[in-house]
Amino acid sequence: MLPEHESRALREIEERLQAEDPRFAAVVARGGQVHALRWRMILVLAEITAVAMIVTGVFSGDGWVFFWGAVGGAVLARLHTTQFRTPRRIPRPGRAGQAR
């Protein structure tokens, strides 16, 4: 946690940024949401690849393609259940001790 004078300075900077350029401040505030969306898109594409490997392995008779597709699918399923079970919040400096 930041010392009080640094927290105060950070709040002042945030307020000035909000007053001077509200669009940029909104983009900066959404940074964590954009990162989470990008991460989910990557996981979905990886899952599609794993399913395609499983299907290709079954129809071509290639056991290794099927095996690695199944391993990838299992790892991705585990990532989904652990990563997105609870929403993650990005801590904002200087906000921890304030009452809501």
Side-chain angles (χ1 to χ4, degrees):
M1 189 164 149
L2 294 173
E4 181 58 35
H5 69 279
E6 290 180 0
S7 296
R8 192 176 325 113
L10 184 59
R11 281 192 301 272
E12 290 173 5
I13 292 170
E14 288 175 343
E15 290 168 2
R16 273 190 264 140
L17 177 62
Q18 181 66 32
E20 291 175 8
D21 195 352
R23 276 183 58 198
F24 178 70
V27 169
V28 170
R30 279 194 318 258
Q33 295 170 351
V34 171
H35 177 72
L37 178 62
R38 186 176 302 136
W39 178 245
R40 286 184 185 204
M41 287 174 41
I42 289 170
L43 282 178
V44 167
L45 288 174
E47 288 173 348
I48 291 170
T49 303
V51 168
M53 287 177 70
I54 291 171
V55 170
T56 302
V58 166
F59 286 115
S60 71
D62 189 354
W64 285 110
V65 174
F66 175 81
F67 173 75
W68 287 114
V71 168
V75 168
L76 290 166
R78 179 70 176 162
L79 271 176
H80 267 292
T81 58
T82 58
Q83 186 74 16
F84 300 117
R85 182 175 293 157
T86 58
R88 303 218 184 255
R89 303 241 188 262
I90 298 175
R92 298 206 44 190
R95 303 277 190 221
Q98 293 179 349
R100 292 182 184 218

